[in-house]
Amino acid sequence: MKLDNVGAKSYELFQLLDLGDLIGVEGHLFRTKTGELTVWVTEVTLLSKALLPLPEKWHGLSDVEIRYRQRYLDLISNERARGIFIRRAHIVRELRRFFNARGYIEVETPMMQPIAGGAAARPFVTHHNALDLDLYLRIAPELYLKRLLVGGLDRVYEINRNFRNEGISTMHNPEFTMLEFYEAYSDYRDLMKLNEELFASLATEVTGSTFVKYAEHEIDFSKFERLSMREAVCRYWPSGAAPPPTIRELAAPGGPLAAGQRYNSWATSSGREPLLGLESMKGGEITGLLFETFAEPRLIQPTILYDFPTEISPLSKCRKDDPSLVERFEIYVAGMEIGNAFSELNDPIEQERRFRAQVESGGEEAPREVDMDYIRALAHGMPPAAGEGIGIDRLAMLFTDTHSIREVILFPLLRPESGGQAAAAAGTANFAGQDSGEKK
């Protein structure tokens, strides 16, 4: 920038600029002697003054907590952070394209609900003053989406925010994003095929290949293994904890408890953590616990895990040949649950029975009352259907090779700032006020 081109006022302003200031320029484009496209500036205007310094240019922002609290600085200084959220947007765009192309319609259902339902989770409670009514932030949109199937909307999906008043970890945030979709006149096996097509297409469109690197693994989304939950427990039973259970044992009335007790005896003698509370659990609940403990972390390549016990699947349709199991599956990749799907229970009498059993079981994650309006909707006739929820945050983790859910949520929930951090923030505010006062 030359004094002769911009004049004294603009040149004086230019000399006062700091890194982070936003300016507007007028002029014309030209190429330098080295061929670089640039602007021949004739006028400079200050748009916004940076009162605080930016992170160091070459090393970016490395403090993890500051990166999450001040995501604006993270995005300014870390190219990888920007890339993660650009790719996340690409994922959501491709999901919409995939379902729109197959005749699904996108819908919106209530985020504030009079009865918390559709999943087993502790809800957030709020209050509507005008109606003097306690409401729950939704833990899942499922029961409302299935009401739409009753109404004749045969293929629906929603990209939704859910809220669960539970712990925070690298895999969980109290506020998270789900894709949930339902298809009438389908069952869980139809959705298994759809998922294999969906994940192969999504990986190719987002990353350019069905092979995706995640940590030290190369995930191949072009193929899925299918395992029943009982098969997974038997396959991944800890070596040394003999004898491993058989599928027949896990299917027997007292088999899961016997298997769990055998493991606990071995764990105690080996200095490992035993499984707690087995005696108060039902057989299907124990099978689920054994799966989560031994098998889930080892499902690295894309896996469809099916045939869940009825006791842990209150909204799923039972298998006709084995009422102890339901027509349900989950998608596992890199040891993470990515999706949960099942053939929907559409028998209002059986659904009410299961809801009442949930309420009677008690606990913070159980519903407080039966959603009788949903039972009434089923009584009007819901077509046979299959539905699924897919965690978009975890999808973003997979397709960006990140290992904390906070990396893929722009503003994750954090504890309040400590005293020192709060004081620093207050000092920043005071500095900004003093600075602007001096300039006046």
mmCIF file of all heavy atoms in Angstrom, residues 142 146 185-188 307-310 313-329 341-347 350-351 354 382-387:
data_model
loop_
_atom_site.group_PDB
_atom_site.id
_atom_site.type_symbol
_atom_site.label_atom_id
_atom_site.label_comp_id
_atom_site.label_asym_id
_atom_site.label_seq_id
_atom_site.Cartn_x
_atom_site.Cartn_y
_atom_site.Cartn_z
ATOM 1 N N GLU A 142 -39.316 -40.043 18.776
ATOM 2 C CA GLU A 142 -39.866 -41.272 18.211
ATOM 3 C C GLU A 142 -41.391 -41.346 18.233
ATOM 4 O O GLU A 142 -42.027 -41.647 17.216
ATOM 5 C CB GLU A 142 -39.288 -42.475 18.954
ATOM 6 C CG GLU A 142 -39.846 -43.803 18.491
ATOM 7 C CD GLU A 142 -39.074 -44.986 19.040
ATOM 8 O OE1 GLU A 142 -37.910 -44.810 19.436
ATOM 9 O OE2 GLU A 142 -39.645 -46.079 19.069
ATOM 10 N N LYS A 146 -43.909 -41.533 14.891
ATOM 11 C CA LYS A 146 -44.765 -42.686 14.595
ATOM 12 C C LYS A 146 -46.242 -42.291 14.552
ATOM 13 O O LYS A 146 -47.031 -42.938 13.851
ATOM 14 C CB LYS A 146 -44.512 -43.800 15.604
ATOM 15 C CG LYS A 146 -43.152 -44.462 15.378
ATOM 16 C CD LYS A 146 -42.988 -45.766 16.099
ATOM 17 C CE LYS A 146 -42.764 -45.593 17.562
ATOM 18 N NZ LYS A 146 -42.293 -46.831 18.221
ATOM 19 N N TYR A 185 -44.584 -50.135 6.147
ATOM 20 C CA TYR A 185 -44.572 -51.366 5.339
ATOM 21 C C TYR A 185 -43.149 -51.902 5.139
ATOM 22 O O TYR A 185 -42.807 -52.422 4.090
ATOM 23 C CB TYR A 185 -45.291 -51.147 4.006
ATOM 24 C CG TYR A 185 -46.654 -50.542 4.202
ATOM 25 C CD1 TYR A 185 -46.882 -49.187 3.930
ATOM 26 C CD2 TYR A 185 -47.703 -51.295 4.729
ATOM 27 C CE1 TYR A 185 -48.130 -48.617 4.160
ATOM 28 C CE2 TYR A 185 -48.948 -50.725 4.959
ATOM 29 C CZ TYR A 185 -49.155 -49.391 4.671
ATOM 30 O OH TYR A 185 -50.393 -48.825 4.915
ATOM 31 N N SER A 186 -42.318 -51.739 6.178
ATOM 32 C CA SER A 186 -40.954 -52.259 6.183
ATOM 33 C C SER A 186 -40.700 -52.931 7.517
ATOM 34 O O SER A 186 -41.451 -52.736 8.484
ATOM 35 C CB SER A 186 -39.934 -51.137 5.974
ATOM 36 O OG SER A 186 -40.106 -50.524 4.721
ATOM 37 N N ASP A 187 -39.620 -53.715 7.593
ATOM 38 C CA ASP A 187 -39.214 -54.267 8.877
ATOM 39 C C ASP A 187 -37.717 -54.044 9.067
ATOM 40 O O ASP A 187 -37.060 -53.392 8.240
ATOM 41 C CB ASP A 187 -39.584 -55.746 9.003
ATOM 42 C CG ASP A 187 -38.845 -56.642 8.009
ATOM 43 O OD1 ASP A 187 -37.846 -56.188 7.399
ATOM 44 O OD2 ASP A 187 -39.266 -57.798 7.834
ATOM 45 N N TYR A 188 -37.182 -54.581 10.166
ATOM 46 C CA TYR A 188 -35.793 -54.280 10.508
ATOM 47 C C TYR A 188 -34.809 -54.827 9.490
ATOM 48 O O TYR A 188 -33.720 -54.270 9.309
ATOM 49 C CB TYR A 188 -35.478 -54.725 11.927
ATOM 50 C CG TYR A 188 -35.251 -56.204 12.182
ATOM 51 C CD1 TYR A 188 -34.228 -56.626 13.019
ATOM 52 C CD2 TYR A 188 -36.076 -57.187 11.636
ATOM 53 C CE1 TYR A 188 -34.020 -57.966 13.304
ATOM 54 C CE2 TYR A 188 -35.886 -58.528 11.913
ATOM 55 C CZ TYR A 188 -34.848 -58.919 12.739
ATOM 56 O OH TYR A 188 -34.651 -60.248 13.024
ATOM 57 N N ASP A 307 -31.103 -59.014 17.072
ATOM 58 C CA ASP A 307 -31.733 -59.922 18.040
ATOM 59 C C ASP A 307 -31.454 -59.506 19.475
ATOM 60 O O ASP A 307 -30.758 -60.185 20.239
ATOM 61 C CB ASP A 307 -31.288 -61.370 17.796
ATOM 62 C CG ASP A 307 -32.056 -62.019 16.646
ATOM 63 O OD1 ASP A 307 -32.950 -61.354 16.094
ATOM 64 O OD2 ASP A 307 -31.755 -63.177 16.308
ATOM 65 N N PHE A 308 -32.049 -58.383 19.862
ATOM 66 C CA PHE A 308 -31.927 -57.878 21.227
ATOM 67 C C PHE A 308 -32.964 -58.554 22.127
ATOM 68 O O PHE A 308 -34.066 -58.892 21.684
ATOM 69 C CB PHE A 308 -32.155 -56.365 21.255
ATOM 70 C CG PHE A 308 -30.966 -55.549 20.846
ATOM 71 C CD1 PHE A 308 -30.432 -55.651 19.576
ATOM 72 C CD2 PHE A 308 -30.378 -54.671 21.739
ATOM 73 C CE1 PHE A 308 -29.339 -54.893 19.195
ATOM 74 C CE2 PHE A 308 -29.280 -53.910 21.378
ATOM 75 C CZ PHE A 308 -28.759 -54.020 20.114
ATOM 76 N N PRO A 309 -32.652 -58.717 23.409
ATOM 77 C CA PRO A 309 -33.654 -59.257 24.343
ATOM 78 C C PRO A 309 -34.849 -58.319 24.481
ATOM 79 O O PRO A 309 -34.714 -57.086 24.453
ATOM 80 C CB PRO A 309 -32.884 -59.350 25.663
ATOM 81 C CG PRO A 309 -31.440 -59.400 25.273
ATOM 82 C CD PRO A 309 -31.334 -58.549 24.044
ATOM 83 N N THR A 310 -36.014 -58.922 24.653
ATOM 84 C CA THR A 310 -37.250 -58.139 24.778
ATOM 85 C C THR A 310 -37.199 -57.203 25.981
ATOM 86 O O THR A 310 -37.718 -56.082 25.930
ATOM 87 C CB THR A 310 -38.453 -59.095 24.906
ATOM 88 O OG1 THR A 310 -38.485 -59.948 23.761
ATOM 89 C CG2 THR A 310 -39.764 -58.332 24.989
ATOM 90 N N SER A 313 -35.986 -53.706 25.205
ATOM 91 C CA SER A 313 -36.473 -53.124 23.943
ATOM 92 C C SER A 313 -37.978 -52.903 24.006
ATOM 93 O O SER A 313 -38.752 -53.607 23.341
ATOM 94 C CB SER A 313 -36.104 -54.042 22.775
ATOM 95 O OG SER A 313 -34.739 -54.371 22.780
ATOM 96 N N PRO A 314 -38.446 -51.919 24.789
ATOM 97 C CA PRO A 314 -39.885 -51.778 25.034
ATOM 98 C C PRO A 314 -40.706 -51.301 23.837
ATOM 99 O O PRO A 314 -41.927 -51.396 23.862
ATOM 100 C CB PRO A 314 -39.945 -50.749 26.177
ATOM 101 C CG PRO A 314 -38.683 -49.973 26.039
ATOM 102 C CD PRO A 314 -37.656 -50.956 25.568
ATOM 103 N N LEU A 315 -40.061 -50.772 22.798
ATOM 104 C CA LEU A 315 -40.807 -50.241 21.654
ATOM 105 C C LEU A 315 -40.694 -51.131 20.417
ATOM 106 O O LEU A 315 -41.227 -50.787 19.364
ATOM 107 C CB LEU A 315 -40.315 -48.830 21.306
ATOM 108 C CG LEU A 315 -40.580 -47.767 22.379
ATOM 109 C CD1 LEU A 315 -39.765 -46.514 22.101
ATOM 110 C CD2 LEU A 315 -42.053 -47.427 22.454
ATOM 111 N N SER A 316 -40.002 -52.263 20.543
ATOM 112 C CA SER A 316 -39.726 -53.108 19.383
ATOM 113 C C SER A 316 -40.726 -54.255 19.284
ATOM 114 O O SER A 316 -41.257 -54.733 20.292
ATOM 115 C CB SER A 316 -38.317 -53.691 19.473
ATOM 116 O OG SER A 316 -37.364 -52.677 19.698
ATOM 117 N N LYS A 317 -40.908 -54.740 18.061
ATOM 118 C CA LYS A 317 -41.790 -55.867 17.809
ATOM 119 C C LYS A 317 -41.061 -57.175 18.118
ATOM 120 O O LYS A 317 -39.904 -57.354 17.727
ATOM 121 C CB LYS A 317 -42.243 -55.842 16.350
ATOM 122 C CG LYS A 317 -43.241 -56.936 15.976
ATOM 123 C CD LYS A 317 -43.717 -56.766 14.536
ATOM 124 C CE LYS A 317 -44.626 -55.566 14.403
ATOM 125 N NZ LYS A 317 -45.227 -55.479 13.049
ATOM 126 N N CYS A 318 -41.729 -58.091 18.800
ATOM 127 C CA CYS A 318 -41.130 -59.384 19.125
ATOM 128 C C CYS A 318 -40.993 -60.249 17.874
ATOM 129 O O CYS A 318 -41.791 -60.147 16.933
ATOM 130 C CB CYS A 318 -41.989 -60.130 20.149
ATOM 131 S SG CYS A 318 -41.950 -59.424 21.800
ATOM 132 N N ARG A 319 -39.983 -61.121 17.893
ATOM 133 C CA ARG A 319 -39.857 -62.111 16.835
ATOM 134 C C ARG A 319 -40.965 -63.146 16.995
ATOM 135 O O ARG A 319 -41.234 -63.633 18.091
ATOM 136 C CB ARG A 319 -38.494 -62.796 16.906
ATOM 137 C CG ARG A 319 -37.399 -62.026 16.213
ATOM 138 C CD ARG A 319 -36.068 -62.730 16.264
ATOM 139 N NE ARG A 319 -36.159 -64.175 15.993
ATOM 140 C CZ ARG A 319 -35.095 -64.967 15.845
ATOM 141 N NH1 ARG A 319 -33.874 -64.454 15.934
ATOM 142 N NH2 ARG A 319 -35.255 -66.250 15.628
ATOM 143 N N LYS A 320 -41.594 -63.517 15.885
ATOM 144 C CA LYS A 320 -42.705 -64.465 15.948
ATOM 145 C C LYS A 320 -42.244 -65.833 16.432
ATOM 146 O O LYS A 320 -42.980 -66.532 17.127
ATOM 147 C CB LYS A 320 -43.366 -64.577 14.570
ATOM 148 C CG LYS A 320 -44.080 -63.311 14.127
ATOM 149 C CD LYS A 320 -44.708 -63.476 12.749
ATOM 150 C CE LYS A 320 -45.411 -62.195 12.311
ATOM 151 N NZ LYS A 320 -46.007 -62.330 10.949
ATOM 152 N N ASP A 321 -41.009 -66.222 16.086
ATOM 153 C CA ASP A 321 -40.528 -67.555 16.446
ATOM 154 C C ASP A 321 -39.859 -67.601 17.807
ATOM 155 O O ASP A 321 -39.541 -68.676 18.313
ATOM 156 C CB ASP A 321 -39.555 -68.063 15.381
ATOM 157 C CG ASP A 321 -38.330 -67.154 15.241
ATOM 158 O OD1 ASP A 321 -38.447 -65.949 15.561
ATOM 159 O OD2 ASP A 321 -37.258 -67.637 14.819
ATOM 160 N N ASP A 322 -39.621 -66.418 18.428
ATOM 161 C CA ASP A 322 -38.936 -66.382 19.724
ATOM 162 C C ASP A 322 -39.302 -65.082 20.446
ATOM 163 O O ASP A 322 -38.636 -64.059 20.270
ATOM 164 C CB ASP A 322 -37.423 -66.475 19.533
ATOM 165 C CG ASP A 322 -36.677 -66.586 20.862
ATOM 166 O OD1 ASP A 322 -37.319 -66.420 21.924
ATOM 167 O OD2 ASP A 322 -35.457 -66.833 20.844
ATOM 168 N N PRO A 323 -40.376 -65.117 21.272
ATOM 169 C CA PRO A 323 -40.819 -63.883 21.946
ATOM 170 C C PRO A 323 -39.811 -63.290 22.919
ATOM 171 O O PRO A 323 -39.992 -62.163 23.378
ATOM 172 C CB PRO A 323 -42.091 -64.345 22.685
ATOM 173 C CG PRO A 323 -42.513 -65.598 22.004
ATOM 174 C CD PRO A 323 -41.255 -66.256 21.545
ATOM 175 N N SER A 324 -38.742 -64.030 23.252
ATOM 176 C CA SER A 324 -37.728 -63.468 24.155
ATOM 177 C C SER A 324 -36.825 -62.466 23.441
ATOM 178 O O SER A 324 -36.058 -61.749 24.088
ATOM 179 C CB SER A 324 -36.876 -64.586 24.750
ATOM 180 O OG SER A 324 -36.012 -65.153 23.767
ATOM 181 N N LEU A 325 -36.907 -62.429 22.108
ATOM 182 C CA LEU A 325 -36.097 -61.520 21.299
ATOM 183 C C LEU A 325 -36.998 -60.592 20.496
ATOM 184 O O LEU A 325 -38.148 -60.910 20.216
ATOM 185 C CB LEU A 325 -35.193 -62.310 20.343
ATOM 186 C CG LEU A 325 -34.192 -63.279 20.969
ATOM 187 C CD1 LEU A 325 -33.466 -64.053 19.879
ATOM 188 C CD2 LEU A 325 -33.204 -62.542 21.854
ATOM 189 N N VAL A 326 -36.436 -59.449 20.127
ATOM 190 C CA VAL A 326 -37.187 -58.492 19.309
ATOM 191 C C VAL A 326 -36.461 -58.261 17.984
ATOM 192 O O VAL A 326 -35.275 -58.573 17.838
ATOM 193 C CB VAL A 326 -37.362 -57.138 20.030
ATOM 194 C CG1 VAL A 326 -38.236 -57.293 21.260
ATOM 195 C CG2 VAL A 326 -36.015 -56.535 20.385
ATOM 196 N N GLU A 327 -37.195 -57.707 17.039
ATOM 197 C CA GLU A 327 -36.641 -57.393 15.724
ATOM 198 C C GLU A 327 -35.956 -56.031 15.796
ATOM 199 O O GLU A 327 -36.483 -55.006 15.378
ATOM 200 C CB GLU A 327 -37.739 -57.402 14.668
ATOM 201 C CG GLU A 327 -38.399 -58.758 14.487
ATOM 202 C CD GLU A 327 -39.409 -58.773 13.363
ATOM 203 O OE1 GLU A 327 -39.720 -57.703 12.789
ATOM 204 O OE2 GLU A 327 -39.917 -59.867 13.042
ATOM 205 N N ARG A 328 -34.771 -56.044 16.337
ATOM 206 C CA ARG A 328 -34.023 -54.806 16.580
ATOM 207 C C ARG A 328 -32.566 -55.008 16.212
ATOM 208 O O ARG A 328 -32.035 -56.116 16.331
ATOM 209 C CB ARG A 328 -34.120 -54.429 18.057
ATOM 210 C CG ARG A 328 -33.278 -53.224 18.475
ATOM 211 C CD ARG A 328 -33.366 -52.995 19.975
ATOM 212 N NE ARG A 328 -32.459 -51.939 20.423
ATOM 213 C CZ ARG A 328 -32.220 -51.647 21.705
ATOM 214 N NH1 ARG A 328 -32.828 -52.323 22.667
ATOM 215 N NH2 ARG A 328 -31.381 -50.676 22.013
ATOM 216 N N PHE A 329 -31.919 -53.943 15.743
ATOM 217 C CA PHE A 329 -30.472 -53.995 15.535
ATOM 218 C C PHE A 329 -29.860 -52.639 15.853
ATOM 219 O O PHE A 329 -30.544 -51.609 15.877
ATOM 220 C CB PHE A 329 -30.117 -54.416 14.096
ATOM 221 C CG PHE A 329 -30.430 -53.392 13.032
ATOM 222 C CD1 PHE A 329 -29.520 -52.410 12.668
ATOM 223 C CD2 PHE A 329 -31.644 -53.426 12.359
ATOM 224 C CE1 PHE A 329 -29.802 -51.470 11.692
ATOM 225 C CE2 PHE A 329 -31.943 -52.489 11.366
ATOM 226 C CZ PHE A 329 -31.021 -51.519 11.032
ATOM 227 N N ALA A 341 -32.126 -49.348 15.555
ATOM 228 C CA ALA A 341 -33.282 -49.520 14.673
ATOM 229 C C ALA A 341 -34.081 -50.739 15.078
ATOM 230 O O ALA A 341 -33.550 -51.672 15.689
ATOM 231 C CB ALA A 341 -32.827 -49.655 13.225
ATOM 232 N N PHE A 342 -35.366 -50.741 14.724
ATOM 233 C CA PHE A 342 -36.178 -51.930 14.965
ATOM 234 C C PHE A 342 -37.468 -51.892 14.171
ATOM 235 O O PHE A 342 -37.892 -50.844 13.670
ATOM 236 C CB PHE A 342 -36.484 -52.143 16.453
ATOM 237 C CG PHE A 342 -36.766 -50.910 17.260
ATOM 238 C CD1 PHE A 342 -38.012 -50.318 17.282
ATOM 239 C CD2 PHE A 342 -35.762 -50.354 18.055
ATOM 240 C CE1 PHE A 342 -38.262 -49.202 18.055
ATOM 241 C CE2 PHE A 342 -36.008 -49.237 18.841
ATOM 242 C CZ PHE A 342 -37.268 -48.660 18.838
ATOM 243 N N SER A 343 -38.066 -53.091 14.064
ATOM 244 C CA SER A 343 -39.445 -53.179 13.581
ATOM 245 C C SER A 343 -40.334 -52.634 14.693
ATOM 246 O O SER A 343 -40.244 -53.076 15.847
ATOM 247 C CB SER A 343 -39.824 -54.626 13.274
ATOM 248 O OG SER A 343 -38.969 -55.199 12.325
ATOM 249 N N GLU A 344 -41.171 -51.684 14.351
ATOM 250 C CA GLU A 344 -41.934 -50.964 15.368
ATOM 251 C C GLU A 344 -43.093 -51.804 15.895
ATOM 252 O O GLU A 344 -43.814 -52.442 15.126
ATOM 253 C CB GLU A 344 -42.480 -49.649 14.785
ATOM 254 C CG GLU A 344 -41.419 -48.720 14.241
ATOM 255 C CD GLU A 344 -40.440 -48.238 15.300
ATOM 256 O OE1 GLU A 344 -40.808 -48.211 16.493
ATOM 257 O OE2 GLU A 344 -39.311 -47.877 14.934
ATOM 258 N N LEU A 345 -43.261 -51.765 17.202
ATOM 259 C CA LEU A 345 -44.408 -52.400 17.831
ATOM 260 C C LEU A 345 -45.648 -51.569 17.498
ATOM 261 O O LEU A 345 -45.694 -50.370 17.794
ATOM 262 C CB LEU A 345 -44.197 -52.472 19.346
ATOM 263 C CG LEU A 345 -45.328 -53.080 20.166
ATOM 264 C CD1 LEU A 345 -45.577 -54.519 19.756
ATOM 265 C CD2 LEU A 345 -44.999 -52.995 21.660
ATOM 266 N N ASN A 346 -46.649 -52.187 16.885
ATOM 267 C CA ASN A 346 -47.867 -51.437 16.531
ATOM 268 C C ASN A 346 -49.127 -52.045 17.133
ATOM 269 O O ASN A 346 -50.244 -51.739 16.694
ATOM 270 C CB ASN A 346 -48.006 -51.316 15.007
ATOM 271 C CG ASN A 346 -48.103 -52.665 14.311
ATOM 272 O OD1 ASN A 346 -47.843 -53.703 14.911
ATOM 273 N ND2 ASN A 346 -48.484 -52.635 13.044
ATOM 274 N N ASP A 347 -48.953 -52.883 18.146
ATOM 275 C CA ASP A 347 -50.074 -53.461 18.886
ATOM 276 C C ASP A 347 -50.343 -52.580 20.101
ATOM 277 O O ASP A 347 -49.533 -52.542 21.038
ATOM 278 C CB ASP A 347 -49.709 -54.886 19.312
ATOM 279 C CG ASP A 347 -50.816 -55.566 20.116
ATOM 280 O OD1 ASP A 347 -51.692 -54.860 20.647
ATOM 281 O OD2 ASP A 347 -50.780 -56.799 20.226
ATOM 282 N N GLU A 350 -50.315 -54.497 23.637
ATOM 283 C CA GLU A 350 -48.987 -54.895 24.079
ATOM 284 C C GLU A 350 -48.131 -53.674 24.414
ATOM 285 O O GLU A 350 -47.361 -53.684 25.384
ATOM 286 C CB GLU A 350 -48.312 -55.743 22.996
ATOM 287 C CG GLU A 350 -46.854 -56.086 23.265
ATOM 288 C CD GLU A 350 -46.628 -56.933 24.500
ATOM 289 O OE1 GLU A 350 -47.605 -57.467 25.066
ATOM 290 O OE2 GLU A 350 -45.449 -57.059 24.922
ATOM 291 N N GLN A 351 -48.278 -52.584 23.626
ATOM 292 C CA GLN A 351 -47.497 -51.380 23.899
ATOM 293 C C GLN A 351 -47.868 -50.780 25.251
ATOM 294 O O GLN A 351 -46.992 -50.381 26.027
ATOM 295 C CB GLN A 351 -47.713 -50.346 22.794
ATOM 296 C CG GLN A 351 -46.867 -49.085 22.949
ATOM 297 C CD GLN A 351 -45.385 -49.363 22.840
ATOM 298 O OE1 GLN A 351 -44.847 -49.417 21.746
ATOM 299 N NE2 GLN A 351 -44.710 -49.540 23.965
ATOM 300 N N ARG A 354 -46.281 -52.826 28.031
ATOM 301 C CA ARG A 354 -44.841 -52.565 28.210
ATOM 302 C C ARG A 354 -44.600 -51.192 28.826
ATOM 303 O O ARG A 354 -43.704 -51.030 29.658
ATOM 304 C CB ARG A 354 -44.129 -52.673 26.857
ATOM 305 C CG ARG A 354 -44.117 -54.073 26.280
ATOM 306 C CD ARG A 354 -43.064 -54.174 25.199
ATOM 307 N NE ARG A 354 -43.316 -55.257 24.264
ATOM 308 C CZ ARG A 354 -42.572 -55.520 23.200
ATOM 309 N NH1 ARG A 354 -41.514 -54.745 22.916
ATOM 310 N NH2 ARG A 354 -42.861 -56.513 22.391
ATOM 311 N N MET A 382 -51.597 -48.290 13.184
ATOM 312 C CA MET A 382 -50.327 -47.890 12.587
ATOM 313 C C MET A 382 -49.852 -49.021 11.680
ATOM 314 O O MET A 382 -49.830 -50.184 12.090
ATOM 315 C CB MET A 382 -49.273 -47.620 13.663
ATOM 316 C CG MET A 382 -47.977 -47.022 13.107
ATOM 317 S SD MET A 382 -46.726 -46.709 14.375
ATOM 318 C CE MET A 382 -45.824 -48.265 14.360
ATOM 319 N N PRO A 383 -49.490 -48.705 10.441
ATOM 320 C CA PRO A 383 -49.030 -49.765 9.541
ATOM 321 C C PRO A 383 -47.755 -50.409 10.073
ATOM 322 O O PRO A 383 -47.016 -49.788 10.848
ATOM 323 C CB PRO A 383 -48.768 -49.031 8.225
ATOM 324 C CG PRO A 383 -48.528 -47.616 8.607
ATOM 325 C CD PRO A 383 -49.404 -47.380 9.812
ATOM 326 N N PRO A 384 -47.495 -51.658 9.700
ATOM 327 C CA PRO A 384 -46.194 -52.228 10.051
ATOM 328 C C PRO A 384 -45.098 -51.315 9.537
ATOM 329 O O PRO A 384 -45.174 -50.788 8.424
ATOM 330 C CB PRO A 384 -46.190 -53.588 9.344
ATOM 331 C CG PRO A 384 -47.242 -53.481 8.287
ATOM 332 C CD PRO A 384 -48.264 -52.528 8.813
ATOM 333 N N ALA A 385 -44.078 -51.093 10.360
ATOM 334 C CA ALA A 385 -43.065 -50.085 10.016
ATOM 335 C C ALA A 385 -41.758 -50.413 10.701
ATOM 336 O O ALA A 385 -41.703 -51.164 11.673
ATOM 337 C CB ALA A 385 -43.537 -48.687 10.416
ATOM 338 N N ALA A 386 -40.701 -49.817 10.182
ATOM 339 C CA ALA A 386 -39.383 -49.884 10.812
ATOM 340 C C ALA A 386 -38.859 -48.466 10.964
ATOM 341 O O ALA A 386 -39.151 -47.588 10.146
ATOM 342 C CB ALA A 386 -38.422 -50.723 9.973
ATOM 343 N N GLY A 387 -38.090 -48.236 12.017
ATOM 344 C CA GLY A 387 -37.543 -46.907 12.266
ATOM 345 C C GLY A 387 -36.158 -46.983 12.856
ATOM 346 O O GLY A 387 -35.741 -48.021 13.387
#
